[in-house]
Amino acid sequence: MEVTFIFGSIFSPIASILGVIMNGIYSFFNLLGIQNIALCIFVFTFIIKTLMLPLTIKQQKFTRLSSRMNPEIQKIQAKYKGKKDETSIKKQQAETQAIYQKYGASPTAGCLPMLLMLPIMFALYEVINDVPGFVTLIREQYSIVAESIFGDSNLLTSFAEIISKTVADFPTADMIIDALADFKTSQWDILLGQVSGDAGGAINYISRANNLFGLNIMNNPTLKSVSVIVPILAMGLQFVQSKQISVKKDPKNDNPTANAMSSMNVVMPIMSGFFCLILPIGVGLYWIANSLFSIVQQYFVNKYMDSMDMDEMIEKSSAKA
């Protein structure tokens, strides 16, 4: 809980900006008579991936440059292998730096785009995992339910029992909204049987908004239901995506980067499937949409990069540096 709070505090400014985008998407579809969070997550992911395209291209350029730099850097490493004296270390650093200057790159160039992407990824998760906190029209429905619970002591007691809490844990209606944001289908069904009027209508609205082909996106996938397709799709698409961006091995050079990437191409898809199995379907949907758009985007990025002359790219990169 403490870790979640710390990360939430760090990335809240970014999450607020992304939340405005998510709120705008939902409001737009609402004008068309469509209230569906899953659809909004899909469109939301597409917009964010498009905005991050310059970082993706920058990352790919560095990867291409690295494929040319690494053999030369490895020769320098082999040249000074086992030499630990200060003079040799300085010469190795100077010669290595000269290679980076020759190609117009820097040791941190490959990490910078990823470091910029990570805060955005964490903030994205915060938005998708707490839609009522960022989408005004959805929060209005949660507020109707929360106010109904907060104003009825018997209903408040029953609500607390549903999530194994006490009435004292909910001194405000906002705290009830936070708890409702994590409700699963079974919990909504119990609550729906105990409320009436506007609160019942609000719960039905929330259920429709959270629906994806009969699945509640706030539920976790299970191995014995059709929802298992979510982690399977996430794993499969992640595998395709990782193969697209993998570093090609050169049989003449033992490229540590290629070897590491080869291992990650197996590990990352498995991790994606595991996390999508233990997290709500909505998060898995984002993962699937992200991989799907990444695959399409990477296809065109690869076409663009393949059309570029490597020598010309190196010359431009060196001049810019």
Side-chain angles (χ1 to χ4, degrees):
M1 185 68 119
E2 183 179 350
V3 174
T4 303
F5 173 78
I6 292 173
F7 275 98
S9 299
I10 294 174
F11 301 117
S12 287
I14 302 175
S16 297
I17 296 172
L18 298 179
V20 171
I21 298 174
M22 185 67 155
N23 187 48
I25 294 170
Y26 191 89
S27 298
F28 172 75
F29 281 117
N30 183 68
L31 292 175
L32 301 177
I34 302 171
Q35 296 89 25
N36 190 273
I37 298 170
L39 176 61
C40 292
I41 290 175
F42 202 78
V43 175
F44 178 65
T45 307
F46 171 74
I47 292 173
I48 299 303
K49 287 296 298 180
T50 302
L51 293 175
M52 294 173 66
L53 181 58
L55 289 178
T56 302
I57 293 176
K58 187 177 181 66
Q59 178 76 40
Q60 290 301 302
K61 283 184 177 180
F62 179 78
T63 300
R64 297 291 177 106
L65 290 174
S66 294
S67 66
R68 293 282 289 268
M69 286 192 302
N70 283 337
E72 297 182 38
I73 292 175
Q74 288 169 22
K75 287 180 181 179
I76 295 173
Q77 292 171 342
K79 177 181 176 182
Y80 292 97
K81 185 178 180 179
K83 297 180 179 180
K84 303 296 183 181
D85 59 283
E86 186 177 348
T87 301
S88 296
I89 292 174
K90 286 184 177 180
K91 285 184 177 180
Q92 181 177 352
Q93 290 173 343
E95 291 180 27
T96 301
Q97 186 60 37
I99 296 297
Y100 278 108
Q101 289 176 349
K102 172 185 173 182
Y103 288 92
S106 71
T108 59
C111 301
L112 185 58
M114 186 60 68
L115 291 175
L116 292 174
M117 289 179 186
L118 282 176
I120 297 175
M121 290 297 112
F122 281 114
L124 276 172
Y125 175 79
E126 185 177 342
V127 173
I128 292 169
N129 204 42
D130 184 23
V131 172
F134 296 94
V135 179
T136 305
L137 293 173
I138 291 293
R139 188 173 184 83
E140 288 175 358
Q141 301 301 317
Y142 275 85
S143 294
I144 292 172
V145 180
E147 292 294 345
S148 178
I149 294 172
F150 193 67
D152 185 329
S153 59
N154 292 328
L155 188 55
L156 180 58
T157 300
S158 179
F159 166 76
E161 289 175 352
I162 291 174
I163 53 178
S164 302
K165 298 281 186 178
T166 64
V167 172
D169 292 320
F170 303 101
T172 66
D174 283 342
M175 296 190 71
I176 295 176
I177 293 176
D178 291 340
L180 288 171
D182 295 325
F183 257 39
K184 313 300 181 186
T185 298
S186 58
Q187 294 170 313
W188 281 120
D189 289 343
I190 295 172
L191 188 60
L192 183 59
Q194 300 175 356
V195 301
S196 59
D198 291 342
I203 291 177
N204 287 326
Y205 178 99
I206 293 168
S207 296
R208 289 194 302 271
N210 283 333
N211 184 274
L212 173 66
F213 303 123
L215 299 175
N216 185 334
I217 63 172
M218 294 309 300
N219 290 348
N220 286 30
T222 59
L223 295 176
K224 295 182 179 180
S225 79
V226 69
S227 61
V228 73
I229 196 172
V230 173
I232 291 175
L233 270 177
M235 187 164 55
L237 290 173
Q238 179 74 42
F239 178 76
V240 174
Q241 180 189 351
S242 61
K243 292 294 288 183
Q244 270 189 314
I245 62 176
S246 61
V247 180
K248 293 181 179 179
K249 283 190 175 184
D250 184 346
K252 296 180 181 179
N253 296 289
D254 182 20
N255 190 336
T257 302
N259 294 334
M261 284 295 294
S262 180
S263 299
M264 291 298 288
N265 288 345
V266 177
V267 174
M268 287 305 295
I270 294 174
M271 288 182 62
S272 296
F274 173 74
F275 283 122
C276 288
L277 187 61
I278 64 174
L279 293 172
I281 291 172
V283 177
L285 175 63
Y286 160 70
W287 218 307
I288 290 170
N290 183 68
S291 292
L292 187 60
F293 288 128
S294 294
I295 290 168
V296 176
Q297 190 181 81
Q298 191 63 47
Y299 173 79
F300 289 104
V301 169
N302 285 345
K303 286 286 186 182
Y304 168 70
M305 298 299 295
D306 290 340
S307 68
M308 297 180 67
D309 182 83
M310 275 297 293
D311 293 327
E312 184 180 347
M313 185 195 302
I314 293 170
E315 185 178 343
K316 287 182 178 179
S317 180
S318 179
K320 185 176 180 181

